[in-house]
Amino acid sequence: MAAKKQSTGKANKKAKAGARAKKPASKKPARKAATNNARTARGGATVGLDKSVEQFRETLERNVTLSRDRLQEVVDDAVKRGRMTRGDAEKMLSELIKKGRRQTDSLLKELERLVKQARREVGGRTEPVRKQATQAARRARKKLG
């Protein structure tokens, strides 16, 4: 009689876990692509604006906001513990504040640019309707009096 090698069951469990992990791809990306195609069909500017807004959102997500007071507390604590000198701490804090202000200014400029672009786009889309409404109001006034 030949000796049968018995499985510990670990290999089967791994195979089953791998099979469970391989699920069919979600249909959400296909719907998202269809949405982008619809935007492109309406006008290319919308896709560009959506892309710019998405980039702005990603930039915001990468940034962290800390108050100057909180930074000062941490630096003061490091000086108190002897981890750094007062001069180094002040220099580091001023550099952090300068860089933070530059980042904030850059983000605000980008946001203002996006808002202007959105206003132009909305204005361009509403202008024909506004003209029609103005003409209709003029005709109505002439009829009435």
Side-chain angles (χ1 to χ4, degrees):
M1 238 176 152
K4 247 185 178 179
K5 189 174 180 182
Q6 289 188 348
S7 171
T8 60
K10 290 181 182 178
N12 287 340
K13 287 179 185 175
K14 287 181 182 177
K16 286 180 183 177
R20 272 185 260 145
K22 295 179 183 177
K23 292 183 180 178
S26 174
K27 292 184 181 181
K28 286 184 180 178
R31 274 190 244 140
K32 189 173 185 177
T35 304
N36 285 341
N37 289 341
R39 286 184 187 142
T40 304
R42 280 187 268 151
T46 306
V47 174
L49 182 60
D50 288 344
K51 188 175 181 181
S52 295
V53 170
E54 184 61 33
Q55 288 171 344
F56 184 75
R57 181 178 290 136
E58 287 171 6
T59 302
L60 281 177
E61 288 173 356
R62 282 194 312 266
N63 290 318
V64 176
T65 302
L66 298 171
S67 70
R68 183 185 178 104
D69 293 338
R70 182 65 183 128
L71 284 170
Q72 187 71 52
E73 282 178 32
V74 171
V75 168
D76 287 345
D77 187 50
V79 170
K80 183 177 163 184
R81 290 182 186 194
R83 303 284 186 201
M84 64 183 354
T85 66
R86 173 60 56 193
D88 287 345
E90 288 175 2
K91 183 177 178 180
M92 182 183 72
L93 190 60
S94 72
E95 285 298 313
L96 284 170
I97 298 300
K98 274 189 230 173
K99 287 179 182 182
R101 284 191 180 135
R102 273 187 256 140
Q103 261 187 333
T104 300
D105 291 344
S106 173
L107 282 172
L108 287 173
K109 283 180 186 176
E110 180 66 14
L111 182 59
E112 288 170 3
R113 186 187 67 75
L114 288 172
V115 168
K116 284 179 184 177
Q117 184 179 349
R119 283 185 179 148
R120 278 194 309 266
E121 187 176 314
V122 168
R125 290 183 179 191
T126 58
E127 189 174 345
V129 175
R130 201 176 309 134
K131 282 183 180 179
Q132 287 178 348
T134 303
Q135 289 172 354
R138 221 176 270 135
R139 285 192 301 267
R141 280 190 212 105
K142 281 184 181 180
K143 260 189 179 179
L144 291 174

